[in-house]
Every structure is written in C-alpha cells, then in structure tokens.
Amino acid sequence: MHLHPDAEAAGVRLAARDTLPSTNADALARARAGERGPVWIAAARQTAGRGRRGNVWTSEPGNLYASLLLTDAAAPARLPELCFVVALAARDSIVDVAPQLARKLKLKWPNDLLLDGAKLAGILIEAESAGGANAAAAGIGVNCAHHPDNLAYPATSLAAHGVTVSPGELLHALSRTMLLRVAHWDRGPGFAEIRSEWLAHAAGIGGDIRVRLADRELTGTFETLDSLGRLMLRLPGGALEAITVGEVFSPARVQT
Amino acid sequence: MSEQDLIRELAKLLDETGLGEIEVEREGLRVRVARHSVTNVVAGGGSHVPAIPAVAPAPAAIALDEIDPAKHPGVVTSPMVGTAYRAAEPSAKPFVDVGSVVKAGDPLLIVEAMKTMNQIPSPRAGKVAQILFEDGHPVEYGEPLMIIE
C-alpha cells in the first residue's frame, strides 16, 4: 500500500498492517504514545472493527479499513464538522476510481456513503485528549469486495456494482482527496463551502425521513443542515428540530 | 417573594443605587444581579437552550446562583453541542462515578455529535463531586457537565 505522492509530499505517513483489532483504536493508542498526525493506519483485516456506541463493523479482508490520525485538527466545538469533510473525501475517492458511479453516490446524514441507496461506506470519528494534544481518528470502512447482509440498513459493495478496486488502490486515491478536503475545510473557515457541497450530494434533502433517536423516533421533512451540521427536521406540527445524534431512514426503507 | 420577583426587585435596586452588582443569599438560594457581565441565565441543563450562549441584554444581566454549577471553580463544561454518555459504549462501565478520583486528562464522558465521539478529559486532578447530565441526553455548548473538586 502507498499513499498518493501529493499526500507523501505534504508529510502524511502510512502504517499498513496485516491485522489490527481496530484502526481507530491503533490511531488513538499512537496518539497517547506521543505520535502526531497526519498518519494513516490501514489494516487488511480488523478483529474488533467498530461502529458507533459499540456496534461491530464486520471487517473481512478485501475491503478498506483505514483511519487518519489528525493532531489538533480544529477547536473542539468545530470538530464535528470533520465528519462532513471526511464523507466528501470518501465520496471523491470513489468517484476517482469509478467515475461511472458518480451519479449514484449519495451522502447520508451525517457521514455514510450510499451507492444506489445502500450503504457502501461508514465513517466513525473518535477524538480525545492524548499526549498533550487533541487527537482525532477518522476511521473509514469501504465495502470494496463484499458487504454484510441482514442489516437494518441495506448494504452494498463496489464489486456488487461490477467495479473491481483493491483497498490499496482506494487508499491511494483517498489519501489525495482527504488532503484536499481537509485543506479546504481549513480547521473551520471552509465549513460553509463544505456544507454546501455536502448538501449538493446529500440523500433525502427536502423529502420525508424517519430519524431514530435513543429513546424515540421522529418523522418529518429533512430541510437542511444548520451551520453546525445538525440535521434540521421539520416536524408535522411545523416545529423545526435540530438533531445531533440519530439514525436516518427513508420511510420506504424502514425495517423494524 | 418568588425568585422572579426577587430578581426584579434587585434589578430595580441596582438601577436606583447605581451599584455594579448585588448579591443576596437566603435559604440555600443565592442570587447575584450584575450590571455588566455576560452570563448564562440557566441553572441546570435543558435541551432547548440556544446553541450559542445567549448574550444577556444591558443594562442588568441576571445570574441565578442556586448553587449554580456554572460558577463552581471545579466545573467541567461541554465543549460542543451533542449527546453526552457516561460510558464508552452502552455495555461498558461508566468512566467515572460520583466520588471517583481522577487525574488531569482522565476521560470523564463522551459527547457525540454528527457521529463524532468526543472524549472529554478531566481538566484537573480531583474527585468527582457532581454529575450534572443524564446519560444519553442532549447537552448544549458550555453546559455544566461535572464538578471536579
């Protein structure tokens, strides 16, 4: 595996491993040991790949599992913006390797990537104060060769759409698109443009959605993102709800 | 006299006397009325506070100090808008409980926003005196989360 020459020239490093419990956990362990980003951690296989709040991310060889460790990426209040930056970079990288899929690639709030309405990639950002700095690990899983079945939200892979791409080829592209998007964001000032571009590729804007919260489910119209990146949901009664955490479903696809 | 009436009386007194600040304490309630400072008006949490702390209007900004955690020197506030969790994942043990002894940098809680999990470190060594948020509930920017003494 190699990073794109532009990323290498910018001082981004790569640690590629055969097996790791979790690339995010490894990135944060490095930060605690004093390592500074930007560095990519990639693994051919994860034995304890993770999604949000203890969810498992199935991690068989053939797909991309990688985390970018960033040091002092932004002020803490602005760090959640990073998820939109990473989601756009992930989308860009897939357009790079498979331009014919561009029109079918949509972003699902806050930061999943959909291909023809099914989940192609997931992103989980974990941040902590480590080694005297603020460390953020942006973990990305992309279904290149295969995808899990029987999830609440249907999944797909590049292979299922007739595209053969190795994890190494995809990381090569991703290391370049991430470099560009992070520079564009510029630790916050570029977020207004990142937000506009995210909206331009978003799934479900203006349509009815369901949002599963920790303790209830809301139905309404997905109006827009606010300036913080929160999902603005217009409820049937007319009130506007700002959502920071929730799982979005389009009504037609809800499985209970 | 209700809290509101008391505050109104004190604010009037502030204007009449031209003083910068008046503080009254009685029955465990402390009310401080100040002319200039910009403070939050809410004691305790609540999910419908605006994301950006409201700027109190001049001339008199009013702070209700009912053992106001925001004023406590050991307060830890939320660095962002999100949802706060006491443990790394639902099945895990909480990072800390009331009475836990922590070092500076030890994880206290997680605030999640836009699928970004932000572990909040203890700013100082001490003992967890109060936990002011409910597990899995929304928190606002600057909301008091814990008191470390």
Side-chain angles (χ1 to χ4, degrees), chain A residues 54-233:
Chain A
N55 289 345
V56 172
W57 187 270
T58 311
S59 303
E60 290 306 306
N63 293 344
L64 175 65
Y65 311 108
S67 294
L68 176 62
L69 171 65
L70 294 171
T71 306
D72 294 329
R78 305 210 72 150
L79 195 63
E81 298 171 0
L82 180 59
C83 87
F84 303 98
V85 176
V86 175
L88 279 173
R91 185 183 182 280
D92 295 342
S93 71
I94 292 163
V95 172
D96 268 6
V97 299
Q100 69 275 26
L101 299 180
R103 286 177 50 235
K104 294 179 176 178
L105 284 166
K106 295 286 178 191
L107 300 165
K108 172 174 174 278
W109 187 88
N111 58 3
D112 287 334
L113 194 52
L114 302 180
L115 177 53
D116 233 359
K119 184 159 162 170
L120 176 70
I123 294 162
L124 177 70
I125 298 175
E126 295 180 275
E128 63 179 55
S129 160
N134 292 311
I140 303 168
V142 183
N143 297 332
C144 297
H146 41 76
H147 61 273
D149 288 320
N150 307 321
L151 298 182
Y153 208 96
T156 191
S157 63
L158 293 173
H161 286 258
V163 174
T164 306
V165 176
S166 72
E169 287 170 287
L170 191 53
L171 181 63
H172 189 266
L174 180 61
S175 65
R176 185 187 71 87
T177 59
M178 190 78 103
L179 184 73
L180 294 174
R181 289 294 183 181
V182 169
H184 188 190
W185 177 43
D186 194 20
R187 303 162 54 87
F191 184 63
E193 284 177 38
I194 293 285
R195 174 184 169 277
S196 299
E197 289 203 44
W198 190 93
L199 284 167
H201 297 299
I205 296 287
D208 287 342
I209 55 168
R210 280 195 201 190
V211 186
R212 189 172 294 167
L213 309 180
D215 53 351
R216 66 207 154 108
E217 208 168 80
L218 296 176
T219 306
T221 306
F222 184 176
E223 282 209 348
T224 189
L225 300 185
D226 75 354
S227 63
L228 301 177
R230 295 183 294 186
L231 188 162
M232 302 306 283
L233 187 70

Side-chain angles (χ1 to χ4, degrees), chain B residues 4-86:
Chain B
Q4 271 194 339
D5 290 340
L6 175 62
I7 291 165
R8 205 167 285 127
E9 280 301 312
L10 290 174
K12 210 193 290 172
L13 199 59
L14 202 67
D15 280 333
E16 285 171 10
T17 58
L19 288 171
E21 181 177 316
I22 299 175
E23 191 168 326
V24 172
E25 189 164 7
R26 62 175 196 199
E27 294 158 13
L29 175 77
R30 192 162 82 242
V31 176
R32 188 173 71 89
V33 178
R35 181 173 296 280
H36 49 81
S37 64
V38 174
T39 46
N40 59 330
V41 188
V42 172
S47 59
H48 300 288
V49 185
I52 306 303
V55 175
I62 293 163
L64 181 63
D65 278 15
E66 192 177 357
I67 323 161
D68 186 352
K71 296 282 172 54
H72 196 286
V75 71
V76 178
T77 57
S78 182
M80 64 194 69
V81 173
T83 293
Y85 303 104
R86 292 191 53 197

